[in-house]
Amino acid sequence: QKELRIAYQPNPLQEASIDMMVKWGEKNNVKITKIPNSYGVYVEKMTASLTSGSDQYDVIWHNDDWGQLWAHLLEPLDDVAGLKFASKWSTDPIIFNNKDGKTTVVPMGHTLGALFYRTDLLKESELPKTWAQLVTISKKLQAAGKVKYGFVGGMSKDADWNSTLWTVWNNNCDVMKPFFTRDNAVLEKSGWESGLNEPCMRQVAEFWSDALNKDKISPRGMPAYGRNEANAVFTVGDAAFTVADTTYWGEFNDPAKSKVAGKVGLMRFPVGPMAKGVENWDEIWGWAIPKAIPAERKALAKKMLSEIMLDEEGQLALWKKTGAPPPNVTLWPKIAKTDPFMQKLQQYYLEPKHITHSAYYFAKWTAVHKAYNDAMTTAVTGSRADIPKALAEGAVNIHNAAK
């Protein structure tokens, strides 16, 4: 019996995608071996494996955050037939293509952060449209004893899309200048300049500083929260609002895992004082094949990845388990006909006028992201008067990391 070894991070979306691989393996007499890795060490561990030329993994989880970091170490996948059903936005060449213009990813599903709220606490007509309204409504619910916190979301480096980054983009702001540019040539021409010194970024830091310290609508320890800690606060019923990947929709509504199951709705992001509209992001998580593995295993892995893109039953099961739009975008209209959650996703997040990419796509992005998170953490946990200093220092660190 042939074997394919899959390196991944235990997560509802990845598990649901691997379920399709296991089903495929049973049909094709291929043993699928699952090799879990923790999120905190995943990039470091996979980078070490790839750069050493190891063949210990046949398929690995691939993400836009490290698309350019690994591009030269991965097998080109343009010959995977199932890719024609993938979103052109999320397989953007600037993210996953190698220097020869060949893609290195097959999507497993879409990950987009979304704002969830408690439908048992608020009517749709009462939902906040601005940050100020979010604070006011949160404090009102807290004062009435309905929740312990208004908003909770991950704030550590691996989860700050769920707190500071969504507010950055929804205040017409960005980590690098020019804002909302992901073209590396333009960023280089602009001198890899950070956006942390801009007034819009100071407003972001002041909002979160007040949320943690003055208004107290968020847990004081939230700067250290990852996804799991934030999700736990929300699912136990202690918060009215959270931002999380839609992949957790299934868990939020699973009575065995959530005390708020059946009481969770989807809303638009509230915007900051400089916003020109709501900014969303939509990225894929995907699968890649290491360049170093033998040709026979490469061919087998490509066949599997192509055929699970065509597994309609498996992709619909992935949607039902996770709330992640499946990688075959031709299935989205079919799902939306009967599923109110997909209808809301298409209305609020998948078909908006403003979509930005949620990372940058040069090899040093991981270092830039750390510099950004360090600066923002310092800004929101220290004295409010010291926020400009923390951001100015962070701007220098971001520039140096990018260069």
Side-chain angles (χ1 to χ4, degrees):
Q1 186 182 32
K2 295 177 181 178
E3 179 186 21
L4 289 174
R5 292 167 291 182
I6 317 299
Y8 73 106
Q9 176 227 340
N11 172 280
L13 175 56
Q14 296 185 43
E15 295 281 6
S17 185
I18 292 174
D19 286 346
M20 286 191 281
M21 296 182 186
V22 171
K23 183 174 72 170
W24 178 90
E26 290 170 351
K27 288 182 179 179
N28 292 274
N29 194 31
V30 178
K31 180 182 179 183
I32 303 300
T33 300
K34 299 164 58 175
I35 307 173
N37 295 265
S38 70
Y39 187 86
V41 301
Y42 184 83
V43 174
E44 183 179 358
K45 189 171 182 179
M46 289 304 122
T47 302
S49 176
L50 290 166
T51 54
S52 69
S54 168
D55 69 344
Q56 65 187 121
Y57 309 115
D58 300 302
V59 176
I60 62 175
W61 170 38
H62 196 24
N63 192 2
D64 67 308
D65 289 5
W66 48 81
Q68 288 304 306
L69 183 66
W70 293 350
H72 62 295
L73 301 167
L74 299 174
E75 178 70 9
L77 300 177
D78 294 70
D79 55 344
V80 173
L83 267 176
K84 65 183 178 182
F85 299 106
S87 160
K88 298 298 184 287
W89 164 263
S90 295
T91 53
D92 191 331
I94 199 172
I95 304 176
F96 294 107
N97 280 19
N98 62 21
K99 63 180 177 59
D100 298 320
K102 303 292 186 181
T103 191
T104 59
V105 71
V106 174
M108 73 169 79
H110 287 245
T111 65
L112 48 149
L115 189 59
F116 297 96
Y117 75 99
R118 291 273 299 280
T119 57
D120 57 325
L121 301 178
L122 291 164
K123 299 176 184 177
E124 193 167 352
S125 60
E126 298 172 320
L127 296 175
K129 293 181 172 61
T130 65
W131 298 353
Q133 292 173 2
L134 176 64
V135 172
T136 300
I137 292 171
S138 294
K139 292 172 75 172
K140 181 179 178 180
L141 292 172
Q142 289 173 269
K146 299 291 182 66
V147 288
K148 191 173 181 181
Y149 305 108
F151 180 92
V152 67
M155 215 174 204
S156 66
K157 186 184 84 69
D158 295 327
D160 53 5
W161 289 271
N162 299 334
S163 54
T164 63
L165 283 173
W166 74 259
T167 43
V168 165
W169 297 320
N170 281 281
N171 199 34
N172 196 35
C173 205
D174 212 346
V175 176
M176 305 285 290
K177 296 169 69 175
F179 293 165
F180 302 109
T181 295
R182 297 298 182 265
D183 186 324
N184 294 333
V186 174
L187 293 167
E188 183 176 17
K189 187 176 180 180
S190 299
W192 302 107
E193 186 178 359
S194 167
L196 259 67
N197 280 322
E198 296 299 314
C200 58
M201 193 67 73
R202 179 171 177 173
Q203 289 175 340
V204 170
E206 289 174 345
F207 170 77
W208 287 109
S209 174
D210 290 344
L212 295 167
N213 304 303
K214 180 173 73 74
D215 297 319
K216 295 181 170 53
I217 66 166
S218 296
R220 184 67 182 85
M222 203 171 86
Y225 283 15
R227 292 174 174 86
N228 293 337
E229 291 82 2
N231 288 352
V233 173
F234 186 71
T235 54
V236 81
D238 279 348
F241 303 95
T242 192
V243 170
D245 284 352
T246 60
T247 53
Y248 291 102
W249 171 252
E251 287 191 9
F252 288 171
N253 286 286
D254 183 348
K257 299 179 179 180
S258 172
K259 291 184 178 180
V260 298
K263 304 173 184 177
V264 181
L266 186 69
M267 59 177 283
R268 298 182 192 274
F269 290 124
V271 298
M274 291 192 178
K276 294 183 178 178
V278 177
E279 289 287 342
N280 305 309
W281 71 95
D282 170 23
E283 310 298 350
I284 58 165
W285 282 0
W287 298 111
I289 299 172
K291 189 179 285 187
I293 69 172
E296 182 182 2
R297 278 159 46 195
K298 287 180 186 176
L300 189 63
K302 287 182 180 182
K303 177 178 170 62
M304 178 185 71
L305 293 179
S306 183
E307 293 184 6
I308 65 173
M309 283 288 288
L310 301 174
D311 181 356
E312 180 172 338
E313 180 185 11
Q315 294 211 23
L316 292 177
L318 177 146
W319 162 257
K320 290 176 181 178
K321 290 175 185 176
T322 66
N328 187 329
V329 298
T330 65
L331 298 177
W332 292 5
K334 183 174 184 177
I335 295 170
K337 285 182 180 178
T338 58
D339 194 309
F341 183 62
M342 175 58 95
Q343 292 166 13
K344 288 286 187 184
L345 273 183
Q346 288 191 314
Q347 179 184 357
Y348 293 163
Y349 292 95
L350 294 171
E351 298 176 355
K353 294 180 180 178
H354 301 284
I355 305 180
T356 187
H357 280 304
S358 62
Y360 285 85
Y361 304 111
F362 47 85
K364 299 293 182 66
W365 158 243
T366 52
V368 168
H369 186 195
K370 183 180 186 305
Y372 162 81
N373 186 267
D374 288 347
M376 194 60 74
T377 301
T378 300
V380 304
T381 56
S383 166
R384 198 178 193 274
D386 290 337
I387 286 176
K389 178 184 176 183
L391 296 180
E393 291 175 354
V396 173
N397 292 336
I398 286 175
H399 172 73
N400 291 337
K403 281 184 65 180

